[in-house]
Amino acid sequence: MIYIECNSSDVYYNFGAEYYFALEKQLPDTVFLFWRTTPTLMVGKYQNVLEEVNKPYADAHGIRLVRRMSGGGTIYTDLGGWQFTFIQHDGEKEIAFHQYIAPVIDALQECGVEAAWSGRNDLTIDGRKFSGNAQYRLGGCTVHHGSLLFDTDIAQMVASTTVDSYKILSKSIKSVRDRVTNIAEHLPQPMDAEAFKETMVRYILGENPQFYQLTPEDDARIRTLAQEQFASWERIFGANPKFNIDRTGRFAGGKMQFRIDVQKGRIRSAAVYGDFFSTLDAETITAAIIGCRYERGAVLEALRVHGIDGAVYRISAEEMVSVIVD
């Protein structure tokens, strides 16, 4: 097994490294990465970002969004947690978790933590989840990656993946705390995040570890892949499945109801109904937003550029946007 230290907490860079060593630079043995990120929401390959995350909260708190190349659900990560990756060429062509999960469980036992595999893709301590795992094929190899909650901010985890009111949010935090746990709470002796990483990496690599040092050429290519494959708007939102929205807002100037079709992250068709007053017909109002990105800033700019702000009696463009986009 070959260990590569990426020395990065940038999620796009670290996923770029996965992609690079899986598809473009094949080393002679299984590659192992152990890494962490600044606050990030990792959305599964087949999920709709806008249904899984509280985007206004994420934007306000500087939480990054990324779409994984693997399936599974959305996870929250921060500098209080760790991620691990195994890249094995000519691995199993079917989804198979055990061979990659087993060494992680053994390493945790070395730290004095009794962990168990849930049987699907989660790891638990006393029945409470601390790790989710996912897997995909890229080129001729299997990429298996997983998360480890070590000292993660559980409150922020809940807030960034729900749009509930504070009262419900408070209950949600309690509910999540009953179902998830941080590894640090179960260590027989206190250990900081770096010491935990060193112990895990050392145990998983075994007696004859191999190391690979990134070259300047590797680094440059990984940075390019990070932007092309993971950081762009098209990769995060453009891969959303087609979905429809039907939302109603009531304002001083009357009621507006928008029905909108969104495909690949962009508004493809729209209609508006209500008892509002306007100098424009309904088709002119909705035509302003056809083709624009389904996000607050883009919709607001489109309405203003096309002269919609002020054209509806006592309903501003900002108020319309509050109905169109969460």
Side-chain angles (χ1 to χ4, degrees), residues 31 36 57 73 75 89 121 129 134 148 159 180 195 197 204 206 218 231 235 247 255 269 278-279 309 318:
V31 169
R36 60 180 172 175
Y57 181 93
I75 64 170
H89 296 282
N121 67 324
K129 177 180 174 178
L148 296 171
V180 305
K197 172 190 175 180
I204 291 172
D218 294 331
R235 291 290 181 175
R247 295 199 179 102
K255 180 177 76 172
S269 65
S278 177
T279 58
D309 198 10
E318 289 89 344

Side-chain angles (χ1 to χ4, degrees), residues 236-297:
I236 299 170
F237 296 98
N240 277 341
K242 177 181 177 180
F243 64 97
N244 304 313
I245 65 165
D246 188 339
R247 295 199 179 102
T248 300
R250 291 174 174 81
F251 308 102
K255 180 177 76 172
M256 294 190 82
Q257 179 182 6
F258 287 91
R259 293 178 181 172
I260 295 175
D261 293 329
V262 181
Q263 299 180 36
K264 296 184 177 179
R266 293 183 180 273
I267 297 172
R268 297 306 180 189
S269 65
V272 63
Y273 311 88
D275 60 2
F276 57 91
F277 301 96
S278 177
T279 58
L280 306 173
D281 58 33
E283 290 74 16
T284 301
I285 295 173
T286 55
I289 60 175
I290 301 299
C292 80
R293 293 178 176 181
Y294 184 68
E295 59 183 19
R296 283 177 175 266

Side-chain angles (χ1 to χ4, degrees), residues 34 101-113 196 199-205:
F34 203 88
I101 288 176
V104 174
I105 291 177
D106 291 343
L108 287 166
Q109 290 178 339
E110 181 72 7
C111 296
V113 176
F196 173 73
T199 302
M200 294 291 291
V201 170
R202 182 174 63 252
Y203 188 88
I204 291 172
L205 289 177

